[in-house]
Amino acid sequence: MLTAAGVSCTDGNNLLPSGMWEEFRQALHEHYKTTNLATGWVSETCFEPHAGDSIFKVWAAKEKNLSILYGWSFEKVEKRENKIISAIFKNRKGETLNIRAQITIDATELGDVFANASAAYDLGTEDAAYSKEKIAPGKTDIIQDLTWAAILKDYGIGADKTIAKPAGFDAKDYYCSCTSAPCFNKPYNVDAQMMLNYAKLPNNKYMLNWPAHGNDSYLNVVEDNDQTRSKKYELAKLHTLGFIYFVQTTLGFKNLGLAKDEMDGGLAFIPYNREGRRIKGIVRFNINHILDPYNQPERLYRTGIAVGDYPVDHHHGQNPKTPDINFPKIPSFNIPLGALIPEKTDGLIVCEKGISVSNIVNGATRLQPVVLLTGQAAGILAAACIQNNQQPREADVRAVQQKLLDAKCYIMPYVDVNPESLYWQAVQHVGATGILKGFGKPEGWENKTFFYPDSVISVMEFEEGIKNFDSAYIISKPNGGSLLTVEKAMQIIVSNGELLHMKVLTNRGGFHAGYFFDEKFWKNDLGLSDFGLQRNIRRYELAVLLNYYTNIFSRRKVNFDGL
């Protein structure tokens, strides 16, 4: 999406500087010598596709054990019983390449690998009874519109870069795309320059990925072979060329021409596919898990491996047969590890847009930063499986999450505690247990979940959090509604030895209860301060104490359902 498909104004995660997404963004800042990449109004991060491509190639070149092969296309997998043991590729010369692997990751746009492996999958919209979502519109094979993106360049006043009139061009296809365009109905309420500025890139370039009577196309090629796909994709290319011609002629921007230094002479190498097949995984992530994560039969939030803050956004403008869906407003979210793991097929991990999510949720999980982070998690999961000689469904959820945290990847989508904070991991750890909850807030195109680290907490909230974590805990009645003090927090931890408390050996020679009330120890070893016993404890302080004294995140394992 970011480079070959030319969708180089990213969507979402601007306030979630997680893992590889943040590394990529920092590399862009270094490339352009600025932290301000909001050249277009659709995104805080806009860049030229060739710049992103260079960053990825530099990263790959630094990996001593990584071989990169160009010009090969996936052909089929080889299986032994129910396990994928190799993937077979072909090039234009007709030569074949068989790569044998302990673990295969399907990172294709449409889920071609797991489909070829006969793994079960979903495609299209769904029935409410199947998806467990009240708003699901019913079963169809309809997927989202795709876009063949293009990069235009401003060649200056007086330049005429008008392309040849595309075959079958009809200007009416692009009417109402902006207020500067002819329109029989109601135009999209921006003028032509504002429309182009939507995805303006550095160095006087513009990405064309305009949904309102622009260059979206409805093509469902998912189940077609490569040859048929290529023929149908030409229709999407032609539609984009028509939009370019419309911009140059009807809208009067002859000075804008295809950027010859980007991708395939300014046209993307591949389409921007918003939706394809979705694997049937060992868990299935639906809209209920986002809207109300703490009150589901599963506790999938406890197994998070990637985060996103984009709303549910489907492109269906080019298909009038699409059923109406009343998309809910959502907070930010995390993606469960089990969504990457097929229900039955061994030797396989899935990422990209093929993860185990509902059709509705795909509208929020399909965006570039989320896909980057899901791919990073897939890599870490694959490495863990190889190192431990196990199948993905046998993996230790907490161990995979810890590897991600060590790489500064968020597992909980808290917008108000970032990896630069000394207590970031403690907050992530305790948040992933559910003992301390986050607070989701839908907020347009940049949804949020807050931890509120400096807030205080009531005794009842803390005890109910423990009860939610383990039903064996008995909530105390006295002073339940009062605010939690430092002393009361320590008493709850100490008095629930089997549930919460563990002995922590330190460089002082061992653990004793007095450490709880040793202000010097808190300051020197935990980085905390102002621990008067009767003072109300702040949420981040409680997270640090729970994390340090109980090690509850690693000590209490969870399964893929988060239970």
Side-chain angles (χ1 to χ4, degrees):
M1 286 190 284
L2 289 167
T3 55
V7 191
S8 59
C9 278
T10 60
D11 294 296
N13 282 37
N14 182 55
L15 298 178
L16 291 172
S18 178
M20 185 179 285
W21 156 240
E22 179 62 9
E23 292 178 43
F24 180 66
R25 192 162 56 169
Q26 291 299 326
L28 288 171
H29 294 165
E30 183 177 346
H31 175 82
Y32 287 109
K33 309 302 180 188
T34 179
T35 59
N36 182 10
L37 295 178
T39 48
W41 54 268
V42 69
S43 173
E44 297 290 330
T45 304
C46 294
F47 58 94
E48 298 157 283
H50 81 267
D53 180 64
S54 297
I55 288 168
F56 289 133
K57 285 175 177 171
V58 167
W59 285 358
K62 291 179 180 179
E63 300 299 323
K64 295 180 181 179
N65 296 323
L66 178 64
S67 299
I68 300 175
L69 306 175
Y70 293 101
W72 297 88
S73 298
F74 171 70
E75 183 74 11
K76 63 182 179 178
V77 298
E78 184 181 9
K79 292 174 65 178
R80 182 177 297 144
E81 296 180 344
N82 199 44
K83 181 182 177 181
I84 293 177
I85 59 173
S86 75
I88 298 171
F89 300 82
K90 279 190 176 181
N91 63 15
R92 291 182 178 179
K93 298 177 182 178
E95 298 169 328
T96 61
L97 174 68
N98 191 345
I99 299 180
R100 303 182 70 85
Q102 196 168 334
I103 297 289
T104 296
I105 298 175
D106 185 346
T108 62
E109 290 281 287
L110 301 177
D112 292 337
V113 177
F114 63 72
N116 184 262
S118 299
Y121 61 85
D122 296 303
L123 179 64
T125 65
E126 296 161 343
D127 290 321
Y130 175 75
S131 71
K132 299 181 173 64
E133 300 163 317
K134 292 181 180 179
I135 59 174
K139 177 59 183 169
T140 75
D141 63 355
I142 294 172
I143 62 172
Q144 291 191 61
D145 299 343
L146 60 79
T147 303
W148 204 285
I151 307 297
L152 300 182
K153 182 177 181 178
D154 187 348
Y155 288 90
I157 297 173
D160 187 349
K161 295 295 179 177
T162 305
I163 62 173
K165 186 177 180 179
F169 172 77
D170 186 346
K172 295 184 182 66
D173 291 340
Y174 312 101
Y175 278 16
C176 305
S177 54
C178 61
T179 56
S180 307
C183 188
F184 296 131
N185 298 301
K186 185 178 180 180
Y188 195 86
N189 193 28
V190 298
D191 64 19
Q193 187 61 62
M194 190 70 171
M195 178 185 73
L196 292 166
N197 289 345
Y198 167 81
K200 186 175 182 180
L201 308 180
N203 295 318
N204 294 315
K205 293 177 182 176
Y206 301 86
M207 177 185 74
L208 280 191
N209 174 30
W210 184 249
H213 308 285
N215 56 327
D216 278 7
S217 297
Y218 183 75
L219 289 173
N220 189 339
V221 303
V222 176
E223 302 289 20
D224 292 332
N225 60 32
D226 286 345
Q227 186 176 11
T228 303
R229 282 181 185 173
S230 295
K231 288 181 180 178
K232 291 183 178 179
Y233 281 152
E234 288 300 319
L235 299 174
K237 280 187 188 180
L238 200 61
H239 188 62
T240 290
L241 287 170
F243 189 43
I244 293 170
Y245 186 75
F246 181 82
V247 168
Q248 292 173 325
T249 55
T250 304
L251 299 184
F253 289 87
K254 295 181 180 180
N255 54 307
L256 299 184
L258 284 164
K260 300 300 181 182
D261 56 343
E262 296 290 351
M263 304 178 297
D264 188 13
L267 285 172
F269 286 112
I270 61 173
Y272 174 24
N273 287 298
R274 294 181 175 87
E275 187 177 347
R277 306 177 182 94
R278 304 183 307 282
I279 192 74
K280 289 188 177 181
I282 57 174
V283 304
R284 196 164 191 271
F285 192 44
N286 65 41
I287 199 66
N288 305 316
H289 297 119
I290 297 178
L291 291 171
D292 192 13
Y294 298 106
N295 292 299
Q296 301 303 316
E298 316 87 4
R299 298 290 191 268
L300 296 186
Y301 72 88
R302 291 176 176 165
T303 71
I305 45 81
V307 294
D309 63 10
Y310 205 70
V312 180
D313 177 36
H314 286 203
H315 284 228
H316 288 300
Q318 297 300 311
N319 188 349
K321 296 181 180 179
T322 305
D324 290 333
I325 308 174
N326 185 21
F327 296 121
K329 295 180 179 179
I330 63 170
S332 55
F333 57 88
N334 60 3
I335 293 175
L337 179 60
L340 282 60
I341 302 173
E343 196 173 33
K344 296 178 181 178
T345 306
D346 288 336
L348 178 64
I349 295 169
V350 176
C351 60
E352 246 289 335
K353 291 173 282 283
I355 61 175
S356 181
V357 298
S358 70
N359 165 262
I360 289 171
V361 166
N362 170 74
T365 60
R366 65 178 174 80
L367 287 311
Q368 308 98 316
V370 181
V371 168
L372 266 179
L373 297 172
T374 307
Q376 186 170 6
I380 285 177
L381 173 59
C385 290
I386 292 166
Q387 290 167 351
N388 298 319
N389 193 30
Q390 61 187 183
Q391 289 302 316
R393 66 177 60 86
E394 300 168 336
D396 183 328
V397 174
R398 292 303 193 211
V400 171
Q401 288 179 311
Q402 186 57 55
K403 286 288 187 183
L404 287 163
L405 288 168
D406 292 342
K408 295 188 176 181
C409 294
Y410 288 59
I411 61 173
M412 299 297 293
Y414 300 143
V415 73
D416 51 355
V417 184
N418 66 47
E420 303 308 312
S421 166
L422 293 174
Y423 50 84
W424 177 70
Q425 278 213 23
V427 167
Q428 291 281 312
H429 280 162
V430 175
T433 68
I435 293 175
L436 297 180
K437 296 179 180 178
F439 301 87
K441 184 180 180 182
E443 206 165 278
W445 297 98
E446 201 168 58
N447 300 298
K448 297 177 175 64
T449 302
F450 295 92
F451 183 76
Y452 295 129
D454 294 313
S455 296
V456 296
I457 182 173
S458 71
V459 173
M460 183 177 295
E461 184 182 347
F462 181 37
E463 291 195 317
E464 286 180 345
I466 300 170
K467 182 77 172 179
N468 179 63
F469 177 72
D470 193 316
S471 59
Y473 179 74
I474 300 174
I475 297 177
S476 64
K477 297 300 181 184
N479 302 314
S482 61
L483 292 177
L484 187 69
T485 63
V486 174
E487 184 176 37
K488 182 63 176 176
M490 294 305 178
Q491 288 173 351
I492 291 173
I493 293 173
V494 171
S495 63
N496 289 273
E498 287 190 19
L499 183 61
L500 291 177
H501 177 58
M502 66 175 294
K503 291 184 177 180
V504 180
L505 298 177
T506 73
N507 57 10
R508 298 185 177 200
F511 173 87
H512 59 80
Y515 281 3
F516 279 121
F517 309 106
D518 184 340
E519 188 171 343
K520 183 178 179 181
F521 178 59
W522 290 332
K523 287 182 178 180
N524 293 345
D525 291 35
L526 302 184
L528 303 178
S529 61
D530 188 21
F531 267 66
L533 296 182
Q534 302 310 312
R535 180 178 65 78
N536 295 330
I537 195 167
R538 291 184 284 269
R539 284 169 58 87
Y540 87 86
E541 295 167 335
L542 183 56
V544 170
L545 293 177
L546 277 169
N547 192 56
Y548 181 80
Y549 283 115
T550 73
N551 194 25
I552 199 73
F553 174 79
S554 298
R555 190 164 58 94
R556 290 290 296 271
K557 302 297 185 183
V558 294
N559 61 22
F560 289 103
D561 286 327
L563 304 175

